[in-house]
């Protein structure tokens, strides 16, 4: 089924953290994001010309607050809202004050009911005058957000048929890698079968394989726990490194990714449930990999 709206890209991820005093230096100084604005309870960071690609909110419990996607046009934003409304998903436009706080144009939010993930849709964000200046890591972009879901099968169905996430690859009954259509990157969102709804990890794509190697040494010297990798994923071909932030939420650096252009996209592959699917180099994930972080249950 072809849906009546199109995305441009994954815009930003919003996380709840228990201490901005710990998390801001971690994401700025160890990961290499640029701190744009810091207030009492919120921090805006970027890895592009956008005002923000990561927003940190002070909270009692760490986890995923929302995932925001930039629509392809104002017409797509309106069409998406009308579609969600007709589907009974109760999208809600943000007030002018909150849009101004986010440095965004018209914006609405809508929750995928099975995973509990709150998605935000907007059509424009302030483009900063000075370019993003990489420091310790040459970050290319915010890559993807991954969650686990208690209601995996129904969540995948909704994400595909209502939220316009095209499936790139899947492990039957276990895991689905999805892209915000028609963005070509192999996945901007992914979801796994789990015993609860939770954040699995947030990914940032880097521009050079050396960024992975340098990060290993820098993070280990700072006492940051590496929970998986380095390795190479079979589905996306990415070289990866997973590690824990100060709240033990899993973050990822990755280099390289398959692209599936709209006009010549291959069919999704049904992959084997096998350790090599996650890492063809043969590393084994730590028990803390992808475990910590609630999905915030909130009103818009």
């Amino acid at each position: 089924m072809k849906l009546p709206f199109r995305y441009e890209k994954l815009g930003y991820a919003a996380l709840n953290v228990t201490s901005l005093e710990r998390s801001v230096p971690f994401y700025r100084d160890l990961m290499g994001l640029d701190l744009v604005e810091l207030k009492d309870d919120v921090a805006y960071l970027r890895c592009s010309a956008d005002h923000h690609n990561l927003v940190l909110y002070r909270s009692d419990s760490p986890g995923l607050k929302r995932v925001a996607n930039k629509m392809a046009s104002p017409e797509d934003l309106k069409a998406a809202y009308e579609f969600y409304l007709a589907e009974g998903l109760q999208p809600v436009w943000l007030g002018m004050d909150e849009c101004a706080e986010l440095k965004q144009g018209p914006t609405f939010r809508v929750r995928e009911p099975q995973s509990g993930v709150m998605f935000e849709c907007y059509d424009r964000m302030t483009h900063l005058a000075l370019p993003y200046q990489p420091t310790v890591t040459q970050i290319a972009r915010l890559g993807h957000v991954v969650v686990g879901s208690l209601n995996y099968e129904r969540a995948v169905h909704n994400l595909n048929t209502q939220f316009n996430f095209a499936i790139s690859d899947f492990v039957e009954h276990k895991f689905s890698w999805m892209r915000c259509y028609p963005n070509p990157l192999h996945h901007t969102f992914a979801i796994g079968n789990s015993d609860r709804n939770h954040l699995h990890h947030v990914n940032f794509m880097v521009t050079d394989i050396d960024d992975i190697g340098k990060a290993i040494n820098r993070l280990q010297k700072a006492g940051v726990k590496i929970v998986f990798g380095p390795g190479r994923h079979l589905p996306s071909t990415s070289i990866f490194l997973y590690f824990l932030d100060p709240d033990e939420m899993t973050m990822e650096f990755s280099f390289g990714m398959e692209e599936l252009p709209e006009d010549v996209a291959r069919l999704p592959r049904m992959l084997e449930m096998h350790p090599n699917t996650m890492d063809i180099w043969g590393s084994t994930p730590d028990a803390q990999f992808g475990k910590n972080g609630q999905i915030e249950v909130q009103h818009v």
Side-chain angles (χ1 to χ4, degrees):
M1 180 174 112
K2 188 172 182 180
L3 300 189
F5 59 90
R6 296 159 64 88
Y7 296 104
E8 179 182 315
K9 65 178 182 178
L10 170 62
Y12 75 89
L15 298 178
N16 290 323
V17 300
T18 58
S19 171
L20 289 175
E21 292 73 23
R22 291 188 303 159
S23 292
V24 167
F26 175 87
Y27 286 98
R28 180 190 61 206
D29 303 334
L30 288 177
M31 288 188 63
L33 283 86
D34 178 27
L35 177 63
V36 176
E37 192 173 359
L38 175 61
K39 299 184 177 181
D40 288 342
D41 295 316
V42 61
Y44 297 89
L45 300 102
R46 64 164 177 160
C47 55
S48 72
D50 294 338
H51 178 267
H52 53 272
N53 304 107
L54 179 69
V55 185
L56 305 177
Y57 289 88
R58 193 188 305 274
S59 176
D60 293 335
S61 301
L64 180 65
K65 191 173 184 71
R66 62 180 178 269
V67 177
N69 291 295
K70 185 178 185 298
M71 308 305 293
S73 71
E75 292 74 25
D76 287 289
L77 180 70
K78 182 178 179 181
Y81 178 85
E82 296 295 336
F83 178 82
Y84 290 132
L85 192 64
E87 290 288 301
L89 291 170
Q90 302 179 326
V92 176
W93 291 106
L94 301 192
M96 293 179 61
D97 289 346
E98 188 168 4
C99 289
E101 174 72 20
L102 290 166
K103 305 295 190 293
Q104 293 172 195
T107 299
F108 72 83
R109 292 182 187 147
V110 58
R111 186 183 302 279
E112 193 290 299
Q114 302 303 326
S115 66
V117 174
M118 181 69 78
F119 287 98
E120 181 176 284
C121 298
Y122 65 94
D123 66 352
R124 58 188 179 273
M125 179 187 291
T126 296
H127 187 283
L128 297 183
L130 298 178
Y132 163 66
Q133 294 291 337
T135 53
V136 294
T137 304
Q138 308 290 310
I139 299 176
R141 63 179 65 86
L142 172 67
H144 53 263
V145 177
V146 179
V147 302
S149 178
L150 176 64
N151 303 307
Y152 167 78
E153 303 285 1
R154 288 182 290 172
V156 169
H157 175 78
N158 290 350
L159 290 163
N160 182 229
T161 63
Q162 293 181 314
F163 286 76
N164 211 12
F165 290 138
I167 298 172
S168 300
D169 287 314
F170 65 99
V171 175
E172 196 171 19
H173 309 305
K174 294 292 184 182
F175 205 90
S176 293
W177 293 265
M178 318 177 88
R179 59 195 190 275
C180 57
Y181 186 81
N183 185 286
L185 291 173
H186 179 274
H187 56 286
T188 57
F189 190 80
I191 186 167
N193 199 339
S194 183
D195 59 359
R196 60 191 173 92
N197 290 339
H198 66 96
L199 173 66
H200 192 281
H201 71 268
V202 177
N203 163 275
F204 293 88
M205 298 174 66
V206 301
T207 60
D208 195 296
I209 193 171
D210 287 345
D211 287 309
I212 301 292
K214 291 176 181 178
I216 294 170
N217 293 319
R218 181 176 67 256
L219 294 169
Q220 286 180 332
K221 289 175 182 177
V224 174
K225 185 171 183 177
I226 293 173
V227 290
F228 195 17
R232 185 189 285 273
H233 291 312
L234 187 154
S236 62
T237 74
S238 302
I239 295 172
F240 66 82
L241 181 73
Y242 294 92
F243 48 93
L244 300 183
D245 86 340
D247 285 301
E248 298 185 339
M249 292 187 287
T250 301
M251 299 294 128
E252 179 191 17
F253 281 149
S254 68
F255 170 70
M257 177 171 278
E258 180 187 10
E259 297 190 10
L260 287 76
E262 179 180 5
D263 53 348
V264 292
R266 60 167 175 75
L267 293 175
R269 298 170 297 185
M270 185 167 68
L271 302 174
E272 180 185 6
M273 184 64 181
H274 189 281
N276 275 22
T277 300
M278 286 303 295
D279 184 13
I280 63 175
W281 292 358
S283 65
T284 302
D286 184 90
Q288 289 183 278
F289 169 60
K291 292 296 192 296
N292 202 39
Q294 301 177 12
I295 292 176
E296 182 177 278
V297 178
Q298 60 173 6
H299 298 291
V300 176

